[in-house]
Amino acid sequence: MNFLFWNTAQKDLSSEVAKLATERGTDFVILAEAVDHAASYLVSLNKRRQSCLFGLAPSFVADGNRLRVFSRLPAGEIIPAATDRTCSVYHVHPAGGLPFTLACVHLPSALHMTQDDRAALAGETVRLIAGAEDSAGHTRTLVIGDFNMNPFEPGMIGSEAFHAILDRRIAATGQRKIQERSRPFFYNPMWRFMNDDRLPYCGSHYYRKSVPFCHFWNTFDQVLIRPELLHAFDDAGLSLVDSVGGKSLLDANCRPNKLLHSDHLPIHLNLNL
């Protein structure tokens, strides 16, 4: 099962999204900042498909939620589990496949909140996801989206937030105890995109500002996997997408082309369910 996530920067990128979905045989298309163009995305996705048409996933979207989820699965196989302004969680029951939980996130921007603020709100999102896991009776969970945090920030690695770590072997142990209380892990495979010399970029988002501390490249767009789902995830099947239909999504400096497309690169991955 294939997944595509893209923060579309409030633009109508329906043609590019539809091409990507066709090229990669995508089953789930998850978009942030796409609310105003949701109908256009739905039409474009289905124009390029002759069978297994896309539908907008059923939801009880909270006010202010800017995520939209499109899927080729029948509505009965995608059950809304929880939602708030920044997260939409679904129980997915694919016919002939292993049930899992899909959490889609678009967390608050670093432009408007401090690192401590965002770490605290990340903990709230984790608790929302954990509640959905409790109702599902398993922790086969995939979280995907724009976290507006880098993998090394407290809201990502902290035990009271996502507790997402870079070492798959440690993540596979399941959890660790903090003050005698167990805290489950997520595995975060996105660290490798921050310094892969085979790629012309070092993250999914580029932002330069005239301040003493500037990362330039950020990996805000991420995928997290619970240990119970690791057997279905192959790191080699995860990529940042830098071209669509043979056309680059990068500018002349190998940065996301925010004038023509978005200031974020899309993520694509697959799970063997």
Side-chain angles (χ1 to χ4, degrees):
M1 186 165 289
N2 296 316
F3 302 79
L4 172 70
F5 170 80
W6 200 0
N7 182 328
T8 59
Q10 302 183 48
K11 295 181 180 178
D12 185 351
L13 302 178
S14 53
S15 176
E16 292 89 340
V17 167
K19 287 178 183 176
L20 268 175
T22 300
E23 289 175 356
R24 301 195 173 230
T26 305
D27 299 293
F28 279 90
V29 174
I30 301 133
L31 304 176
E33 299 190 9
V35 174
D36 293 340
H37 304 290
S40 179
Y41 284 107
L42 188 60
V43 169
S44 294
L45 284 165
N46 286 316
K47 274 185 178 178
R48 301 184 67 89
R49 287 270 181 190
Q50 299 303 314
S51 61
C52 297
L53 298 179
F54 277 91
L56 185 63
S59 66
F60 42 92
V61 174
D63 291 342
N65 186 301
R66 296 183 292 168
L67 291 156
R68 290 297 179 266
V69 180
F70 304 89
S71 175
R72 295 196 298 118
L73 274 64
E77 296 179 12
I78 310 169
I79 303 168
T83 190
D84 64 13
R85 289 174 59 87
T86 62
C87 182
S88 296
V89 189
Y90 297 90
H91 295 319
V92 185
H93 299 268
L98 192 66
F100 66 97
T101 299
L102 172 66
C104 311
V105 302
H106 185 202
L107 301 185
S109 171
L111 295 175
H112 309 299
M113 290 192 178
T114 68
Q115 187 178 78
D116 289 342
D117 291 332
R118 286 177 287 124
L121 290 176
E124 290 294 318
T125 301
V126 171
R127 286 186 280 276
L128 184 77
I129 295 170
E133 291 175 328
D134 288 343
S135 67
H138 62 75
T139 59
R140 292 186 295 272
T141 304
L142 169 71
V143 187
I144 186 170
D146 179 358
F147 291 76
N148 268 309
M149 294 180 284
N150 281 298
F152 51 80
E153 293 190 49
M156 297 304 300
I157 63 174
S159 64
E160 307 312 295
F162 282 100
H163 207 198
I165 60 174
L166 64 87
D167 191 321
R168 182 171 181 150
R169 295 160 298 186
I170 295 174
T173 64
Q175 60 188 18
R176 66 184 176 118
K177 283 190 174 182
I178 310 294
Q179 297 293 307
E180 300 304 314
R181 299 177 66 184
S182 294
R183 291 291 183 264
F185 288 125
F186 278 107
Y187 169 55
N188 188 349
M190 301 301 297
W191 287 78
R192 64 182 170 92
F193 292 106
M194 295 190 295
N195 191 26
D196 188 339
D197 58 12
R198 296 168 298 178
L199 300 173
Y201 41 83
C202 298
S204 64
H205 174 270
Y206 182 87
Y207 183 65
R208 178 173 182 156
K209 55 183 176 179
S210 183
V211 294
F213 296 97
C214 180
H215 295 308
F216 297 92
W217 281 104
N218 300 284
T219 306
F220 290 158
D221 308 278
Q222 300 177 62
V223 171
L224 308 181
I225 303 100
R226 282 286 197 211
E228 194 177 346
L229 195 60
L230 277 177
H231 70 279
F233 175 72
D234 181 0
D235 288 81
L238 171 67
S239 64
L240 290 174
V241 181
D242 57 23
S243 66
V244 181
K247 295 183 179 180
S248 180
L249 296 176
L250 306 173
D251 63 18
N253 294 311
C254 292
R255 299 163 188 166
N257 193 329
K258 61 183 180 181
L259 295 179
L260 295 180
H261 306 294
S262 170
D263 54 352
H264 292 252
L265 292 178
I267 299 175
H268 187 268
L269 76 147
N270 57 65
L271 292 178
N272 181 5
L273 299 167

